[in-house]
Amino acid sequence: MSPEVLRDVPVLETDPLLDDPATRIVVCCGAGGVGKTTSAAALGLRAAERGRKVVVLTIDPARRLAQSMGLTELDNTPRRVPGIDTAQGGELHAMMLDMKRTFDEIVEAHADADRARAILDNPFYQSLSAGFAGTQEYMAMEKLGQLRARDAWDLIIVDTPPSRSALDFLDAPGRLGSFLDGRFIRLLAAPAKAGGRAGLKMFSLGMTGVSMVTGTLGKLLGTGMLRDVQTFVAAMDTLFGGFRTRADATYRLLQAPGTAFLVVAAPERDALREAAYFVERLHADRMPLAGLLLNRVHGSSAGALSAERALAAAETLEEGADGAGGPHRLAAGLLTLHAERMRVIARERRMRDRFTALHPEVPVAEVAALPGDVHDLAGLRDIGELLAAQPPDPQRS
C-alpha cells in the first residue's frame, strides 16, 4: 500500500534531487537506528544507475553498507561497487571512514616528511587521534572536504556518524576546530615548559577541565608523558591553525548551493523529536534542507477495516468457534493481528502528524516497512523505487 497522502505537506521527490547536476553533496542525518546507512546506500545506487558518478561515505560500525553492496570490506579509500547498471554512464563508489587514518592523512598532507613521521610516531598523538571527544564527527567533515576537493565524483552522499545526538555532526567542526587553535597549543605547551610534578598537575587539571582526555591517554601518564607532549606540540605547532581553517571551509561548503540535507527518521516519538531538532538547527544555520525521509512506515491493503471492527468480528467468531472449530479460530486470530497492525499504523500517523504540524514546510517521503533487512543491491534498488513512487505533491495538484 502506498503511503497516505499528507494534506498540505509537500512531497519529497528524490529523483529530481539526485538527477540535478547542481546537487553535489547529499547529507543523510538523523538519530541512530533509523536507517541512515541504508538510505544513503539506496540513494547512491539509484543516482549511479541514473547516470551520476557517486561516492557514498559511511561512518557505520556495523558495516552493513559493505555487505549490501557486495563488497568484502570498506576502508578509507573509495572502492568501486560491482554489479550496478552502468547503461546510463554512472558509477558507484563506497568507503568507510577510518577516523585515525584520516587524522594521519591530514598530518601527512600538511607537514614535511620528517615532521610528519615525528608526529605520527608520537605516543601522545596516537592517543589523541584515536580518542579525542568529537573526533569521529570532525573527521567525517574532513573527509567530506577532501572528497569534494578532489572533484573526482559529481555526487557525494554522506551517512553521518551514529552519534548520541544527530546535532553532533554540525557541532563537531566548530567545537574541535576551536580547541585545536592557539589556545590548545598554549594549554599543552604551558605544562610541558613548566616540567616536573607542578607541570604534570597543571596539565592534568587543564585537560580535565575541558573533558578531552580519554582513558587511553591516562595510561600514558608517567615519566615520559611531558616529553611526549612537548615533542608533539613542537612538531604540530604550524598545523593547528589549519584545523580551524578547514573546519570553517567545510561548514561553508555545507551551507552552499549544491548541498542538500535529508533528515532521516522512523515514525517513532524519539526519532521524530530528534528530526525536529535537526530541522530547526538547519534552518537556524541557513543550511539547505531538502526534506524528511520517513523510514519503516507500516501500511495495510485492508485499511478500510478499522481495529475496532476487526476486534468485534474476532470476538463474534470466537464465541461461535465451538461448533465451527479451527476455521473460526484461525479467522479470529487473523482479525486480531490486523487490529494490532491498524493500531501501529494509527500510532505512526499520530507521530508523523505531530512533526508535520510543527514543520508543514518540510517535504516528506515515506518508505514502507520491508519484511526483512536489506542485504544486497536488489534490496537497495527496492528502497530507491519506493522513494521514487511517492504520491503526487498535493500542493501541485
Side-chain angles (χ1 to χ4, degrees):
M1 175 182 174
S2 61
E4 179 181 301
V5 175
L6 305 179
R7 290 187 177 181
D8 301 324
V9 175
V11 172
L12 171 61
E13 300 180 45
T14 54
D15 278 356
L17 176 70
L18 298 176
D19 293 345
D20 187 352
T23 304
R24 302 299 304 274
I25 297 172
V26 172
V27 181
C28 295
C29 52
V34 296
K36 290 195 305 292
T37 299
T38 302
S39 298
L43 291 166
L45 175 60
R46 189 164 182 85
E49 294 189 331
R50 294 173 68 85
R52 304 293 302 270
K53 190 173 183 180
V54 185
V55 60
V56 177
L57 168 63
T58 185
I59 306 93
D60 178 35
R63 299 181 181 266
R64 289 187 303 273
L65 182 64
Q67 297 168 0
S68 66
M69 291 185 170
L71 297 172
T72 57
E73 62 178 348
L74 287 181
D75 54 25
N76 221 39
T77 301
R79 297 177 181 272
R80 189 160 184 168
V81 177
I84 76 163
D85 183 354
T86 58
Q88 300 299 318
E91 297 178 9
L92 179 60
H93 295 75
M95 62 183 299
M96 179 179 292
L97 178 73
D98 183 327
M99 182 176 68
K100 187 179 186 309
R101 181 59 199 147
T102 300
F103 211 147
D104 292 348
E105 288 173 355
I106 296 169
V107 173
E108 293 167 348
H110 296 90
D112 59 57
D114 291 341
R115 179 172 292 185
R117 179 47 50 198
I119 295 170
L120 296 177
D121 291 342
N122 185 277
F124 180 77
Y125 167 80
Q126 291 171 3
S127 293
L128 182 76
S129 60
F132 223 75
T135 303
Q136 188 180 55
E137 290 80 8
Y138 180 86
M139 290 305 158
M141 295 291 237
E142 281 275 358
K143 182 56 67 177
L144 171 59
Q146 291 175 12
L147 292 172
R148 187 66 182 87
R150 286 173 61 180
D151 204 27
W153 300 273
D154 55 34
L155 179 61
I156 302 168
I157 297 182
V158 182
D159 163 34
T160 55
S163 307
R164 180 189 60 79
S165 168
L167 297 177
D168 289 347
F169 181 69
L170 291 180
D171 290 334
R175 185 172 63 245
L176 198 56
S178 295
F179 195 69
L180 292 172
D181 61 10
R183 288 188 297 277
F184 179 59
I185 296 174
R186 289 194 296 273
L187 179 65
L188 292 179
K193 292 178 181 178
R197 293 185 176 180
L200 179 60
K201 181 177 180 182
M202 178 180 176
F203 173 78
S204 178
L205 289 174
M207 294 301 281
T208 300
V210 292
S211 301
M212 300 297 282
V213 174
T214 67
T216 303
L217 180 59
K219 297 178 182 178
L220 294 177
L221 296 177
T223 57
M225 188 274 291
L226 290 180
R227 183 172 61 254
D228 292 337
V229 173
Q230 192 170 28
T231 303
F232 169 78
V233 171
M236 287 285 284
D237 185 39
T238 60
L239 302 185
F240 281 116
F243 285 94
R244 166 60 74 86
T245 301
R246 288 191 302 278
D248 290 345
T250 303
Y251 203 80
R252 290 194 298 272
L253 179 64
L254 292 175
Q255 292 176 315
T259 297
F261 280 84
L262 288 176
V263 177
V264 184
E268 301 164 0
R269 182 183 59 183
D270 291 344
L272 282 169
R273 181 186 294 122
E274 190 85 356
Y277 289 153
F278 209 104
V279 165
E280 292 161 8
R281 172 65 183 275
L282 290 171
H283 284 321
D285 289 1
R286 300 187 304 278
M287 291 193 175
L289 172 64
L292 173 73
L293 200 165
L294 198 59
N295 273 330
R296 304 167 188 163
V297 177
H298 290 88
S300 174
S301 58
L305 179 60
S306 68
E308 292 75 13
R309 289 175 58 198
L311 287 174
E315 184 177 349
T316 300
L317 287 170
E318 284 286 359
E319 290 174 353
D322 291 339
H328 277 198
R329 288 195 174 91
L330 177 60
L334 292 174
L335 286 166
T336 301
L337 287 175
H338 174 76
E340 292 174 356
R341 186 175 186 86
M342 293 305 295
R343 286 172 174 168
V344 169
I345 293 170
R347 183 176 67 251
E348 290 180 350
R349 287 176 179 168
R350 287 195 301 272
M351 296 298 102
R352 179 200 67 188
D353 291 346
R354 288 178 187 174
F355 175 90
T356 57
L358 289 172
H359 300 285
E361 79 288 354
V362 177
V364 178
E366 294 186 359
V367 177
L370 299 177
D373 291 335
V374 174
H375 54 79
D376 55 19
L377 291 179
L380 294 176
R381 287 192 186 96
D382 289 343
I383 292 177
E385 291 289 345
L386 289 170
L387 281 169
Q390 298 297 306
D393 187 339
Q395 292 190 355
R396 296 182 184 177
S397 58

